[in-house]
DNA sequence: GATTTTTTTCTCGACAGTCGAGAAATTTAC
DNA sequence: GTAAATTTCTCGACTGTCGAGAAAAAAATC
């Protein structure tokens, strides 16, 4: 409320609103936009006329008229209005996707990540090459790429695209903004991977529940532990954050974590930690850099057959997660928790520990156990989260940059 | 962004903006308002004319002109525009304050709270009587009371004025909305006490640092433990919350807390917990209902003289606080922590434990120790927080209700 | 095939809000 | 007494939204 308002701002907001509903519901007719936005028909006319003149949306060609009356003309985003590159960094590969303004996937490939530790600088070079490659494969002009949206596990600066800490590079910070500035005019954004999962799930949930949706947490189980939280703000938007959950303190002076601290949640619930407990390796052993999934599958199999120590390892992981989640819930409101990631394949073994860990706290005793649900297809959710956020950013930027472009040959009156 | 914008909304927001700057900086002239709000002079004229017509603000009488040129006419809130009653519930008393629309204290008294446990229903009756008393003492019309702002320790529903859990009444919920509806047309709001402290400190901090202020936490030490967090939102407002920090899980299966759960932070850092540790009473002993401060002072004195167990009790309290704060910081961004409440008198004994507890976590190792500062005068901060929030709510309500009231005798043209 | 009905889109005038520029008011300086 | 300085107020231009009704276009009906 610290900043003034003006009529131009009104137009900007309403323009963004129109573009957002177009995103949400696909191509719409004039009347439908009016219904969804609660803007008057006249206002919709004015706004869509502007957007059309600025080459941001277009009338789709004649529909085979369904029903009588004047046939609808659908409005949709112009695909060639701009492009988006999505970069998903995971522990063993980097995936590049080229997407047009309508959200349609145009091209995609993955590049294996070498596991060499000499790290950050080399890695950035690789990303720059990857970006060049996807651009050149497409024949799209460089200037038409409006946004590069990157995601990674780890801790991300909330205002700038800087990877502050990651399981891969540790405290070797990566500033994507300055790394890509020489090559690209496009804006660069960086988000935590689980944050995007939460964003995607929040959007889905709101589509189902509407205004009843309040908040939701996504917990990603894997080599490392991620948490994303999404909350509806007072004015209808979504506020989304990715706290440093995996390295929240679970137990003072506890097991040694990859990050070098003792007692992090990850030091009990990460894959390497489960391995460590299952093999009864001392808790202050420096953890393995990478754990093959097959190794964990074996432990899980043994646990399911009743092997005590193996079962204990998963139970202890669950306890750490449950305690951590209860602490999170003490600091927020009650919200459902969606569990995702490769680790969900061990959910049968983790569940009891998680619920016990949750049950040990005041919040859960008072408000009851939060809803726990397992959600598969983390990869799809990550991409969906990218699109949600990135395209919204593009819409906003385009409108704010000014919707006056286009062919200025309106100067022939009569 | 889900909701449409309109020109009326623009006027509303800008009117609220004008009232807010008037709150912040005291009586201001036309030009000064224009400077602070960045609204044009013409707009300020239009808005202030409306507000004046609606009897919300008034021109102050002639100032002794300082400097040459046409003398300024200061605008200020009309005191009699409406009134606010502030109710501060503490463990041993309830304080009632009557405040006019300009924020000036008109009347105040406290009523001792009987320590009888028969609780909630009786207590509510007491509050209703207290409100009647402060009204009748003042000769103000009941309808002129626009807002009743209540605060208490404990857990508060974020949307409705319902006390969900409190150290005094436990889980006996109190719904102030429905309790006061029969007597009062005024709106009723309820906030956690430490939330108000955080709000007040946040406002002060922003006055000093301006846009550099990002966030801040207030930790209140006393019989129970309170935490308030204030953050600047993207559009310049303040987002403030009071998580259930005192009953966040400190240690699974730990000491028994007043709330009936085991291992809460309060079960280590509350006054009764310090007492329990100092006297080597078993950790599962049901805690004392109320601890005289003199008792704690004695333990503190012994600790300062080197008595081992007494010192250990404070150290352990500090550790619980430090661990808890580190967990909070894992879920938020780095922020300074202001420590307040009666317990600050033992800060010399707590400090080492707090810092050690903080230091055991990944965040603090990475980002460094957060700034810790001791802030006295918690009572003043609570009241200040009440005024900040309540008067802002009143301004908003008045403007939204419509600024068209007042004398409609403008119908004589020429 | 002409007319009516239905549905959608577009246009016009009214109204609300902000802004810049300059007029009006009013005091101090010389 | 006049000029300069400073503050407040007013006017016209511009931008925005809205409701109502005109215009467009296809299906239904006679």
């Amino acid at each position: 409320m610290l900043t003034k308002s003006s009529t131009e701002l009104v137009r900007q907001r309403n323009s963004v609103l129109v573009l957002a509903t177009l995103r949400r519901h696909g191509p719409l007719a004039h009347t439908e936009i009016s219904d969804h936005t609660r803007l008057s028909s006249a206002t919709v006319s004015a706004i869509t006329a502007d957007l059309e003149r600025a080459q941001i949306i277009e009338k789709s060609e004649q529909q085979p008229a369904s029903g009588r009356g004047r046939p609808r003309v659908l409005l949709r985003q112009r695909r060639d209005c701009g492009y988006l590159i999505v970069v998903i960094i995971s522990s063993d590969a980097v995936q590049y996707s080229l997407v047009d303004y309508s959200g349609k996937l145009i091209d995609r490939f993955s590049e294996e990540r070498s596991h060499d530790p000499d790290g950050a600088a080399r890695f950035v070079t690789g990303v720059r090459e990857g970006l060049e490659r996807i651009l050149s494969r497409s024949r799209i002009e460089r200037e038409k790429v409006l946004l590069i949206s990157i995601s990674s596990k780890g801790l991300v600066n909330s205002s700038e695209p800087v990877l502050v800490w990651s399981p891969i590079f540790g405290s070797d910070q990566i500033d994507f903004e300055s790394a890509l500035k020489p090559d690209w005019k496009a804006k660069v954004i960086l988000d935590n991977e689980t944050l995007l999962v939460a964003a995607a799930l929040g959007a889905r949930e709101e589509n189902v529940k509407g205004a009843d949706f309040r908040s939701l947490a996504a917990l990603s189980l894997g080599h490392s532990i991620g948490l994303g939280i999404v909350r509806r703000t007072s004015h209808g938007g979504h506020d989304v954050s990715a706290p440093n959950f995996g390295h929240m303190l679970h137990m003072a002076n506890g097991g040694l974590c990859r990050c070098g601290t003792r007692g992090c949640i990850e030091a009990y619930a990460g894959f390497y930690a489960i391995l460590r407990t299952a093999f009864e390796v001392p808790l202050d052993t420096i953890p393995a850099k990478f754990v093959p999934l097959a190794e964990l599958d074996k432990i899980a199999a043994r646990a399911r057959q009743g092997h005590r120590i193996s079962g204990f390892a998963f139970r202890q992981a669950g306890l750490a997660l449950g305690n951590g989640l209860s602490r999170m819930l003490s600091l927020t409101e009650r919200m459902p928790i969606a569990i995702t990631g490769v680790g969900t394949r061990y959910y049968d073994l983790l569940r009891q520990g998680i619920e016990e860990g949750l049950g040990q706290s005041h919040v859960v005793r008072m408000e009851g156990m939060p809803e726990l649900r397992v959600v598969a297809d983390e990869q799809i959710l990550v991409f969906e989260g990218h699109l949600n956020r990135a395209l919204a950013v593009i819409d906003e930027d385009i409108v704010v940059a000014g919707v006056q472009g286009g062919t200025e040959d309106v100067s022939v009156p009569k």
Side-chain angles (χ1 to χ4, degrees), chain A:
Chain A
M1 207 66 65
L2 208 97
T3 173
K4 72 172 179 180
S5 208
S6 66
T7 50
E8 283 93 339
L9 256 180
V10 169
R11 182 54 155 267
Q12 268 186 23
R13 295 173 83 93
N14 287 338
S15 297
V16 170
L17 182 62
V18 166
L19 287 177
T21 62
L22 230 43
R23 289 256 169 249
R24 202 195 203 84
H25 302 103
L28 294 179
H30 187 105
T31 327
E32 294 168 311
I33 295 178
S34 172
D35 287 350
H36 281 114
T37 59
R38 306 200 147 281
L39 290 168
S40 78
S41 167
T43 305
V44 173
S45 274
I47 289 176
T48 54
D50 277 2
L51 291 175
E52 207 182 336
R53 202 169 328 137
Q55 319 235 4
I56 297 167
I57 62 173
E58 63 189 354
K59 294 201 178 82
S60 85
E61 58 282 12
Q62 296 296 40
Q63 292 286 112
S66 64
R68 60 181 178 177
R70 180 171 171 176
R72 305 184 156 187
V73 318
L74 299 185
L75 296 168
R76 56 157 49 100
Q77 300 94 328
R78 282 188 70 140
R79 295 226 165 121
D80 57 355
C81 165
Y83 298 88
L84 159 71
I85 301 181
V86 172
V87 182
I88 299 179
I89 303 168
S90 58
S91 59
D92 49 358
V94 182
Q95 184 193 68
Y96 299 84
S97 307
L98 180 67
V99 180
D100 71 22
Y101 182 63
S102 78
K104 189 168 183 307
L105 182 64
I106 298 177
D107 186 17
R108 165 177 287 175
F109 62 84
S110 280
E111 285 185 348
E112 298 281 313
R113 257 177 31 69
S114 56
H115 275 195
D116 59 349
D118 61 12
R122 276 272 287 279
F123 175 72
V124 167
T125 314
V127 170
R128 290 175 61 180
E129 288 167 7
L131 288 171
E132 292 301 326
R133 184 167 154 213
I134 204 161
L135 179 73
S136 63
R137 272 163 62 141
S138 71
R139 309 197 163 280
I140 286 170
E141 301 160 48
R142 188 178 292 265
E143 284 73 28
K144 280 278 189 179
V145 176
L146 302 179
L147 187 67
I148 300 174
S149 178
I150 310 176
S151 69
S152 164
K153 293 186 192 298
L155 201 57
V156 162
N157 185 316
S158 57
S159 51
E160 288 157 294
V162 175
L163 185 60
V164 176
W165 189 91
S166 64
I168 308 170
F169 304 107
S171 298
D172 275 7
Q173 296 207 353
I174 301 182
D175 179 350
F176 287 102
E177 169 81 26
S178 60
L180 301 181
K181 198 166 215 166
D183 303 343
W184 301 87
K185 284 198 305 184
K187 191 175 192 170
V188 180
I189 62 177
L190 170 68
D191 284 307
N192 171 285
E193 189 175 294
T194 316
L195 179 143
L196 295 177
V197 173
L201 287 173
R204 285 189 185 178
E205 190 92 344
E206 186 164 48
N207 272 340
V208 176
K209 291 194 183 174
D212 284 347
F213 167 68
R214 289 194 43 82
S215 54
L216 182 144
L219 177 68
S220 170
L221 305 179
H223 297 289
S224 60
I225 308 294
L227 184 80
I229 300 177
V230 55
R231 267 174 288 210
R232 268 176 63 117
T233 62
S234 48
H235 39 279
H238 283 188
D239 180 30
V240 60
S241 63
N244 193 5
F245 185 75
H247 299 281
M248 184 175 173
L249 181 67
H250 169 53
M251 189 178 292
N253 301 310
L256 186 61
C257 177
R258 282 198 286 191
C259 70
T261 315
R262 307 184 73 96
C264 297
I265 289 179
E266 200 174 293
Y268 291 83
F271 282 175
Y272 70 85
I274 295 176
L275 192 80
R276 188 167 60 183
T277 312
F279 285 124
E280 302 186 73
V281 177
L283 282 183
D284 54 357
T285 310
I286 293 180
K289 187 85 185 169
F290 186 77
V291 179
L293 210 53
E295 204 63 41
L296 242 86
D297 283 340
K298 268 188 248 168
I299 301 174
R302 278 204 291 276
R304 290 191 185 104
Q305 283 159 17
H307 185 246
R308 212 182 56 79
I309 303 286
S310 300
F312 174 72
F314 282 102
R315 202 179 114 79
Q316 202 174 42
L319 272 176
L321 292 172
N323 281 174
L325 287 173
S326 88
R327 288 172 177 137
M328 188 265 293
L329 292 175
S330 289
L331 294 177
T332 63
E333 57 183 30
R334 185 179 143 88
M335 58 180 77
I337 294 162
I339 301 177
T340 179
V342 241
T344 50
R345 65 167 79 180
Y346 312 123
Y347 185 62
D348 58 325
L349 299 167
L350 293 167
R351 179 172 171 179
Q352 202 196 337
I354 293 178
E355 292 188 350
E356 191 179 330
L358 276 164
Q360 286 169 339
S361 71
H362 177 62
V363 242
V364 173
R365 285 175 51 139
M366 264 195 37
E367 303 177 349
M369 191 67 68
E371 180 195 339
L372 295 172
R373 61 176 91 141
V374 174
V375 180
D377 290 328
E378 188 179 32
Q379 287 315 305
I380 295 176
L381 288 169
V382 172
F383 188 67
E384 202 173 304
H386 266 289
L387 291 194
N388 283 351
R389 285 175 75 77
L391 293 175
V393 168
I394 292 183
D395 284 348
E396 173 104 22
D397 284 357
I398 284 182
V399 167
V400 171
V403 185
Q404 62 264 28
T407 45
E408 301 283 271
D409 50 356
V410 203
S411 50
V412 187
K414 260 200 173 179

